[in-house]
Amino acid sequence: MNKPIGIFDSGIGGLTVAKAIADALPNETIIYFGDTAHLPYGDKSKESIIGYSKRITTFLLAKECKAIVIACNTASAHAYAELKTEFPNVPIINVIDPTVDYCLSKYQTGKIGIIATRGTIKSRIYPRKINKKNPNLEVPQAATPLLAPMIEEGFFNNNISKTIINSYLSNKNFDDIDALILACTHYPLIKKEVIAFFKRPVDVIDSATVVAEYTKKMLNALLG
Ligand code: DGL
């Protein structure tokens, strides 16, 4: 039997990752868990997020999932290491490492901006991981805590989302960025609006496709 891939997020945002994985691996079955009972993760403590993530992973493994994808940046930042320790025999994929590797392969110098939840920004996981491998890259960050609840409530591609996005991105630290990582699973849904904000070419990167390609490679290598 071809066992399913388990994917979880705090809500609907991770469906962007699930869709990209379904496109990259059309013969796989996916079980998706959106933890809307505890949404948003972005403002919760590390301990709470580790607890939710362990419970969800236990649930998905009881459904015989052969691999787990943490399709949530905040949970990837706070709980990935703990999940790997707790479930050492299961491939666990987070959304941060493949995105960081993708950026490092594309940029040797320059400025890569990050927008994400407060939890992800406070963890400084992106600047730490990027600068560990390439200290020449500048990595300005901004927490954008209204964006995920806004998207979760269906507010995107309208005047309200445009106003909030413009307000967050009018940040002088982002004036001369070369790229911007949408470091939250919900943000691909506002990618067009983010691109439209910049009046010059800025490489707006979302993790969905990068993580899907990584998942495909990892599953092929590990499980054949
Ligand atoms: N899924 C979360 C993330 O990618 C965003 C929404 C939330 O705060 O729960 O960081």
Side-chain angles (χ1 to χ4, degrees):
M1 191 188 86
N2 191 10
K3 294 181 174 178
I5 300 171
I7 304 179
F8 77 89
D9 178 40
S10 55
I12 61 161
L15 287 170
T16 57
V17 178
K19 159 93 174 56
I21 290 178
D23 288 345
L25 293 161
N27 297 324
E28 297 290 346
T29 307
I30 289 171
I31 299 182
Y32 182 83
F33 191 111
D35 190 11
T36 48
H38 298 116
L39 179 92
Y41 279 14
D43 291 323
K44 301 268 186 331
S45 68
K46 182 176 168 91
E47 292 67 35
S48 301
I49 291 168
I50 291 171
Y52 304 147
S53 301
K54 281 186 183 172
R55 262 185 277 160
I56 295 167
T57 302
T58 303
F59 172 86
L60 291 171
L61 294 179
K63 301 273 174 211
E64 306 234 327
C65 288
K66 63 183 170 195
I68 303 293
V69 179
I70 312 172
C72 172
N73 270 266
T74 313
S76 294
H78 288 326
Y80 174 61
E82 283 73 11
L83 290 187
K84 288 229 318 175
T85 307
E86 183 97 1
F87 307 98
N89 301 322
V90 191
I92 297 180
I93 294 161
N94 72 75
V95 283
I96 296 173
D97 289 318
T99 310
V100 164
D101 288 344
Y102 170 80
C103 286
L104 287 168
S105 68
K106 205 167 170 187
Y107 295 95
Q108 280 70 53
T109 55
K111 215 173 190 181
I112 300 177
I114 312 289
I115 55 170
T117 63
R118 280 200 188 96
T120 301
I121 295 300
K122 270 197 195 153
S123 76
R124 294 192 53 79
I125 193 153
Y126 280 90
R128 278 193 287 119
K129 282 185 181 272
I130 290 172
N131 287 144
K132 193 173 170 196
K133 291 191 180 155
N134 183 347
N136 296 324
L137 285 165
E138 278 184 70
V139 191
Q141 320 188 88
T144 48
L146 282 181
L147 294 183
M150 173 190 92
I151 295 164
E152 195 80 19
E153 289 298 326
F155 288 95
F156 47 96
N157 297 324
N158 64 25
N159 286 339
I160 293 172
S161 58
K162 190 175 172 191
T163 305
I164 296 175
I165 291 164
N166 285 7
S167 168
Y168 277 137
L169 294 181
S170 303
N171 178 328
K172 66 174 178 20
N173 295 337
F174 291 158
D175 277 354
D176 50 356
I177 50 172
D178 301 288
L180 180 73
I181 300 181
L182 304 179
C184 172
T185 7
H186 288 63
Y187 299 175
L189 294 166
I190 54 165
K191 187 171 181 175
K192 278 195 196 134
E193 292 175 89
V194 171
I195 292 170
F197 167 83
F198 293 104
K199 306 283 180 282
R200 60 190 182 84
V202 170
D203 183 13
V204 179
I205 297 166
D206 75 70
S207 353
T209 324
V210 177
V211 171
E213 283 309 314
Y214 179 83
T215 304
K216 186 177 175 176
K217 254 191 247 154
M218 186 165 171
L219 289 188
N220 283 343
L222 285 177
L223 308 168

